Amino acid sequence: MDFYITKDYEELSVAAANFLAGQITLKPNSVLGLPTGGTPLGMYKNIVAMYQKGHIDFEKIVTFNLDEYLGLNPQHPQSYSYYMATNLFDHVNIDRNNIFIPDGKTQNPIETCKDFDRTMAKFGSIDLMILGIGANGHIGFNEPGETLQVNTHVGDLSPETIDANSRFFTDKEEVPQKAITMGLGPIMKAKRVLLLASGSSKASAIKDAFNGKITTGLPASLLQLHCNLTVILDQEAATLL
Ligand code: F6R
């Protein structure tokens, strides 16, 4: 495990974008696993700026998003499809056929999950999986519990996650209660994992995930078993380490 502690969110965002740009430069046909949420916004902003300066090329890049809210169509402003379009995909030369995000509006979630796994399997393992972390230690929407799942599945969002994500919705009642999420399989199988955490609300999850026991009660703790993990934190997220 490699840990890097940056001064603040700005520095974290630049460091994460540089890490991602390095991957794209060294392997232009990389398969990426991508997160949404507040944390990676600065990374996406910086990566778009690098693309606009001609430093990186997305032509052969393939992306799989970690998750999508169940029930939201891709045009919904809070859907992760919309987030990815507005924060990254609309600004770079990625081939639309190489973008994979679970369909939140599916009529058959079980088949959609299987399909997502089948498509991922066609590309082999993910080259770089980028993750955020929930204050409760979730990764993707693999929430703390007695067990964790390997494959893509529909998961119930925990009350803490619904609460945290309500900041993006006008009304807490609108926050979907379920999401389609990758399981732990593709995360643990990824060639490299980059985990990002910013702010004091993540400090306790970061401490428990990396200084504590490996437990399904804190899904990010399983990353202790990953053989190529980099963690970039800002100082606030690192205070309890
Ligand atoms: C989102 C995802 C989640 C977030 C986590 C942190 O695609 O997979 O695990 O990374 O909820 O969210 P923020 O960055 O908003 O604190």
Side-chain angles (χ1 to χ4, degrees):
M1 282 189 280
D2 286 327
F3 278 76
Y4 296 98
I5 299 172
T6 60
K7 187 169 73 206
D8 54 20
Y9 179 70
E10 299 309 314
E11 227 179 78
L12 173 144
S13 299
V14 171
N18 284 337
F19 195 98
L20 174 54
Q23 174 70 38
I24 295 173
T25 305
L26 291 174
K27 188 172 179 200
N29 61 345
S30 288
V31 181
L32 304 175
L34 296 178
T36 56
T39 312
L41 282 172
M43 173 185 77
Y44 291 134
K45 197 167 144 233
N46 281 285
I47 209 83
V48 167
M50 285 181 202
Y51 168 76
Q52 284 165 347
K53 287 185 194 141
H55 297 171
I56 45 172
D57 184 2
F58 279 80
E59 199 192 337
K60 299 194 181 107
I61 292 292
V62 175
T63 63
F64 286 90
N65 264 80
L66 278 157
D67 36 34
E68 177 60 286
Y69 287 121
L70 192 66
L72 297 195
N73 69 50
Q75 288 76 38
H76 190 290
Q78 299 313 331
S79 77
Y80 288 159
S81 279
Y82 186 88
Y83 170 109
M84 289 309 298
T86 50
N87 290 301
L88 181 65
F89 298 146
D90 285 354
H91 309 289
V92 298
N93 66 333
I94 191 161
D95 179 342
R96 304 281 134 171
N97 296 318
N98 288 347
I99 297 172
F100 300 97
I101 305 179
D103 174 12
K105 227 21 196 171
T106 175
Q107 295 305 309
N108 188 343
I110 294 177
E111 205 36 54
T112 298
C113 293
K114 282 191 189 155
D115 232 36
F116 198 69
D117 284 334
R118 276 192 289 263
T119 312
M120 260 191 294
K122 280 192 205 148
F123 287 92
S125 50
I126 284 178
D127 290 300
L128 172 62
M129 176 74 76
I130 305 180
L131 301 172
I133 182 172
N136 65 358
H138 72 216
I139 46 178
F141 280 131
N142 295 281
E143 296 282 26
E146 302 265 299
T147 56
L148 287 170
Q149 297 200 37
V150 171
N151 294 325
T152 302
H153 58 281
V154 175
D156 290 317
L157 302 183
S158 70
E160 300 96 300
T161 301
I162 293 173
D163 207 41
N165 292 2
S166 65
R167 72 193 195 278
F168 298 113
F169 291 78
T170 32
D171 187 343
K172 192 171 161 188
E173 301 304 304
E174 289 171 27
V175 187
Q177 315 253 316
K178 289 178 186 290
I180 297 179
T181 180
M182 269 186 212
L184 267 292
I187 297 175
M188 297 308 287
K189 245 176 41 191
K191 292 179 189 146
R192 302 163 87 193
V193 174
L194 172 64
L195 181 124
L196 308 174
S198 163
S200 53
S201 65
K202 304 292 172 70
S204 156
I206 289 294
K207 179 186 101 200
D208 294 343
F210 299 109
N211 283 351
K213 278 197 294 194
I214 297 170
T215 162
T216 58
L218 206 132
S221 67
L222 271 87
L223 296 172
Q224 291 182 37
L225 298 173
H226 197 280
C227 55
N228 195 343
L229 171 70
T230 302
V231 180
I232 305 181
L233 308 170
D234 62 11
Q235 257 170 21
E236 287 188 356
T239 39
L240 300 177
L241 278 181

